């Protein structure tokens, strides 16, 4: 894009402050800014800003509980049968794992990518190394190398790859196929203006974990997986150190029931726990976020005394490749997050806000569920599958995750 065109476009779209910014940049940055602006869809920017004015209404949504299969209630024979189906698929090379590691990990406050974090084991293994161990265990057990794909953000891709290189791919180099970056969206200030970050360019941020579908397609990863004969993709976050990455029971359960998507759940610890729960919304599989659950639904109980809405969505989902292809054809809805963000004003001064001043736009992986005719739900005990590292201390912190991890592995 040439300067004149840039000036016309940004001025017409109410982003004239970029012209002033351009004048302050050196030649290399100017080029980068023109390139950035040429990629911005200004109609989409208007749409995203309009979302910040919308008030979310949940009251009209018809929410119902969803049934789960409790893995611990299956008979030994049934478990063995389902596992055998799963093992066959794993050994035929039909499973790949896609780990979503593009988040910013703001709450944890670790300076590098979350997967590089040492959560305090005596061995000082990082989260990535703990996951590499799981793949190597699976290789020993099933005799196959399950491909491990890692989705990063443009912000953390370099540090993530460097970390793997420095650690010799944790001796799983044949399994670690690709690092691919998710797409980004510009951040806006409260007046809908594109935010300028400290590097002098338009501030962009990763488009949420729902960006995994589009990133798999735009980076040609899905094509690669299909050409390798992969039929199933297990997606998970980077921050649950008890995630079962290669799980024959889950795979067998999905195949046996012909579920093209299956979510792993565990029961909510207590009604106020900050976790989304799987449910039906308007008769479609979905997740209701903890902020959306009204008190009567939050505390409602089944006859058995269990919470009615307690099937936690813990970011462990198994999708068939064909379903991922379908989902990626249509954008997921955007959610608005109001964040604190350092910005540069028109005069080039850095502004450090003391309250949220910026909008970030994200899509969520579970918004894809409503496009599915049905969703399988396989429930494990929490101590078998869920030890998240979200916060620096307190609930879901390195301390709680470490305890759960050590208890599970008898360390
Ligand atoms: P979270 O929503 O917990 O976000 O992501 P986070 O970035 O890890 O932490 P905070 O909210 O900034 O403190 C759940 C999972 O989804 C991934 C994260 O890396 C994590 O594994 N994720 C999130 C992405 O891959 N991309 C995103 O844009 C957002």
């Amino acid at each position: 894009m040439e300067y004149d065109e840039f000036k016309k476009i940004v001025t017409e779209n109410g982003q004239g402050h970029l012209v002033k910014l351009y004048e302050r940049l050196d030649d290399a940055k100017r080029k980068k800014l023109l390139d950035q602006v040429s990629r911005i869809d200004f109609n989409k920017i208007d749409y995203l800003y309009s979302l910040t004015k919308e008030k979310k209404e949940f009251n009209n949504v018809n929410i119902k509980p969803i049934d789960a299969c409790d893995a611990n209630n299956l008979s030994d024979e049934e478990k063995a049968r389902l596992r055998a189906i799963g093992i066959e698929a794993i050994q035929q090379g039909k499973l790949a794992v896609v780990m979503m590691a593009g988040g910013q990990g703001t709450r944890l406050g670790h300076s590098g990518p979350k997967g590089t974090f040492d959560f305090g084991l005596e061995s000082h293994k990082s989260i990535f190394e703990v996951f590499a161990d799981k793949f190597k265990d699976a290789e020993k057990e099933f005799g196959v190398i399950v491909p491990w794909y890692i989705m990063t953000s443009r912000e953390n891709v370099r540090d993530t790859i460097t970390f793997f290189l420095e650690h010799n791919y944790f001796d799983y180099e044949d399994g670690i196929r690709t690092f691919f970056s998710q797409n980004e969206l510009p951040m806006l200030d409260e007046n809908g203006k594109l935010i300028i970050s400290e590097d002098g360019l338009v501030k962009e941020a990763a488009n949420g974990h729902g960006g995994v579908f589009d990133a798999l397609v735009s980076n040609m990863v899905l094509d690669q997986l299909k050409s390798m004969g992969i039929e199933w993709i297990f997606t998970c976050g980077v921050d649950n150190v008890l995630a079962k990455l290669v799980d024959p029971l889950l795979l067998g359960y999905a195949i046996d029931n012909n579920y093209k998507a299956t979510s792993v759940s565990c029961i909510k610890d207590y009604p106020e726990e900050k976790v989304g729960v799987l449910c039906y919304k308007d008769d479609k599989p979905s997740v209701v976020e903890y902020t959306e659950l009204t008190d009567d639904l939050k505390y409602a109980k089944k006859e058995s005394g269990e919470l009615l809405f307690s099937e936690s969505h813990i970011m462990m989902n198994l999708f068939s490749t064909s379903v991922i292809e379908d989902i990626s054809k249509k954008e997921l809805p955007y959610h608005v997050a109001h964040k604190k963000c350092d910005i540069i004003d028109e005069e080039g001064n850095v502004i450090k806000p003391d309250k949220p001043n910026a909008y970030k736009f994200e899509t969520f992986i579970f918004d894809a569920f409503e496009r599915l005719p049905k969703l399988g739900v396989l429930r494990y005990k929490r101590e078998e599958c869920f030890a998240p590292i979200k916060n620096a201390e307190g609930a879901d912190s390195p301390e709680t995750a470490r305890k759960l991890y050590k208890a599970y592995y008898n360390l």
Side-chain angles (χ1 to χ4, degrees):
M1 179 181 274
E2 297 298 323
Y3 174 75
D4 288 347
E5 192 188 349
F6 155 79
K7 189 172 173 186
K8 183 167 176 282
I9 287 182
V10 295
T11 312
E12 277 175 8
N13 285 286
Q15 306 288 350
H17 62 301
L18 295 190
V19 178
K20 268 196 171 173
L21 161 74
Y22 180 92
E23 283 155 14
R24 281 201 312 272
L25 297 176
D26 61 28
D27 282 352
K29 284 265 171 71
R30 284 181 173 180
K31 225 171 147 264
K32 278 195 180 159
L33 180 65
L34 295 188
D35 182 48
Q36 245 189 338
V37 168
S38 72
R39 285 185 281 108
I40 292 176
D41 173 348
F42 286 94
N43 289 331
K44 188 163 185 172
I45 296 294
D46 288 347
Y47 168 68
L48 293 174
Y49 183 57
S50 75
L51 295 180
T52 67
K53 305 285 168 211
E54 269 180 17
K55 255 193 148 331
K56 268 197 163 187
E57 279 289 342
F58 305 114
N59 301 344
N60 303 333
V61 179
N62 175 12
I63 297 175
K64 292 192 196 126
I66 197 164
D67 283 334
C69 165
D70 190 330
N72 288 288
N73 289 344
L74 293 171
S75 67
D76 288 348
E77 293 76 40
E78 181 61 356
K79 243 191 225 170
R81 186 181 74 80
L82 295 175
R83 272 182 59 86
I85 297 173
I87 290 171
E88 191 183 357
I90 292 168
Q91 292 181 331
Q92 288 170 343
K94 293 185 176 167
L95 175 72
V97 173
V98 170
M99 188 167 285
M100 296 173 292
Q104 291 179 306
T106 338
R107 286 167 289 172
L108 180 63
H110 168 56
S111 58
K114 217 189 231 185
T116 66
F117 183 68
D118 165 359
F119 62 107
L121 297 175
E122 275 73 23
S123 62
H124 292 291
K125 287 183 179 179
S126 60
I127 301 181
F128 278 137
E129 183 163 8
V130 157
F131 288 140
D133 287 348
K134 291 175 196 258
F135 282 104
K136 288 187 282 186
D137 288 348
E139 185 184 350
K140 272 190 211 122
E141 190 174 353
F142 309 121
V144 282
I145 294 174
V146 173
W148 179 14
Y149 286 76
I150 297 166
M151 181 174 85
T152 60
S153 62
R154 293 206 184 112
E155 211 175 324
N156 71 16
V157 60
R158 187 187 287 257
D159 289 346
T160 306
I161 296 178
T162 305
F163 189 75
F164 273 86
L165 281 170
E166 282 170 359
H167 292 86
N168 251 333
Y169 292 89
F170 304 106
D171 295 327
Y172 196 64
E173 59 271 51
D174 291 341
I176 301 166
R177 296 300 171 109
T178 296
F179 299 87
F180 62 101
S181 291
Q182 64 182 112
N183 291 318
E184 296 189 323
L185 287 167
M187 289 179 72
L188 299 178
D189 74 9
E190 287 170 336
N191 299 313
K193 302 275 183 248
L194 292 165
I195 286 181
I196 312 305
S197 60
E198 283 175 89
D199 63 2
L201 297 172
V202 173
K203 172 92 181 158
E204 295 185 276
N207 60 356
H209 37 71
V212 67
F213 301 108
D214 157 49
L216 281 168
V217 173
S218 58
N219 289 288
M220 314 289 281
V221 176
L222 196 66
D223 283 344
Q224 187 184 102
L225 290 168
K226 285 196 308 190
S227 70
M228 284 157 56
I230 300 289
E231 292 180 10
W232 296 94
I233 300 178
F234 178 73
T235 61
C236 63
V238 72
D239 50 11
N240 171 12
V241 291
L242 280 186
K244 291 173 184 289
L245 302 180
V246 182
D247 180 5
L249 185 64
L250 173 66
L251 201 50
Y253 171 72
I255 295 171
D256 195 51
N257 288 287
N258 197 22
Y259 288 132
K260 301 288 179 215
T262 304
S263 195
V264 173
S265 75
C266 65
I267 291 290
K268 244 184 169 182
D269 226 7
Y270 47 94
E272 302 80 13
E273 190 181 355
K274 292 182 175 174
V275 61
V277 289
L278 293 152
C279 64
Y280 282 106
K281 262 190 212 170
D282 288 335
D283 296 323
K284 293 178 195 141
S286 188
V287 165
V288 58
E289 290 187 79
Y290 64 89
T291 44
E292 296 175 8
L293 259 193
T294 54
D295 274 359
D296 47 336
L297 295 181
K298 201 184 288 170
Y299 297 103
K301 292 201 169 152
K302 298 179 193 167
E303 271 179 24
S304 62
E306 277 181 353
L307 289 174
L308 189 61
F309 292 96
S310 63
E311 228 53 77
S312 313
H313 176 254
I314 53 176
M315 299 284 291
M316 290 166 61
N317 296 299
L318 179 71
F319 296 97
S320 73
T321 31
S322 60
V323 151
I324 291 201
E325 197 158 26
D326 289 347
I327 293 171
S328 68
K329 285 186 184 142
K330 200 174 144 218
E331 274 195 335
L332 292 172
Y334 289 98
H335 299 259
V336 181
H338 203 192
K339 300 251 174 186
K340 275 204 271 185
C341 174
D342 291 355
I343 58 174
I344 306 257
D345 70 10
E346 288 192 27
E347 272 63 54
N349 307 308
V350 179
I351 311 282
K352 292 195 178 283
D354 50 17
K355 58 181 180 31
N357 62 332
Y359 293 114
K360 182 177 177 209
F361 304 93
E362 295 182 305
T363 55
F364 296 158
I365 192 165
F366 48 77
D367 279 329
F369 294 162
E370 65 179 52
R371 308 216 179 135
L372 307 166
K374 53 186 183 170
L375 175 75
V377 182
L378 183 66
R379 181 200 295 166
Y380 285 113
K381 285 192 188 132
R382 183 184 197 86
E383 57 270 28
E384 292 176 281
C385 68
F386 193 43
I389 300 179
K390 298 280 182 196
N391 305 307
E393 43 194 40
D396 301 339
S397 63
E399 189 187 349
T400 56
R402 185 165 65 239
K403 273 192 193 140
L404 288 160
Y405 184 87
K406 287 169 90 168
Y408 183 78
Y409 286 102
N410 276 321
L411 295 176

